[in-house]
Amino acid sequence: MEAKAIARHVRVTPMKARRVVNLVRGKQTNEALAILKFAPQAASEPVFKVVASAVANARAAADREGVAFNEDELFISEAFVDDGPTMKRFQPRAQGRAYQIKKRTSHVTVVVATPKKGGEE
């Protein structure tokens, strides 16, 4: 079983979000949520929400299919951060010049899955 969650247009730079995502990639979801809850980075909050959403999506998919669901088996099989659109703003500078400020956004994607059993395809 596999479930996916995406947060788009998150107001965190992709480089900072990738640092946080790299902490939890491949870990059990319970362990990942605990790590994200106490991580000092500001980007850990939106990543926490995406992981929690992916777990909830897995639970909903299991209910829909009538499959037994154990949250403790789930692990983060894929997690990545893509660049979102960049908002361009201008800051006034000396002598009538303008300085461009780039406010970057991210698209955070997390896929959770249960480990494959021996004969499962």
Side-chain angles (χ1 to χ4, degrees), residues 24-53:
V24 296
R25 188 180 290 116
K27 294 201 171 17
Q28 296 289 113
T29 54
N30 293 339
E31 183 184 354
L33 289 172
I35 289 169
L36 291 170
K37 189 170 189 171
F38 297 107
Q41 292 88 353
S44 62
E45 184 185 350
V47 174
F48 178 92
K49 287 184 175 184
V50 176
V51 173
S53 179

Side-chain angles (χ1 to χ4, degrees), residues 1-2 28 70-77 112-118 120:
M1 157 152 296
E2 203 172 77
Q28 296 289 113
N70 185 1
E71 194 174 308
D72 297 332
E73 290 181 0
L74 285 177
F75 73 101
I76 298 175
S77 60
V112 296
T114 52
K116 299 270 189 225
K117 304 238 178 352
E120 233 179 89

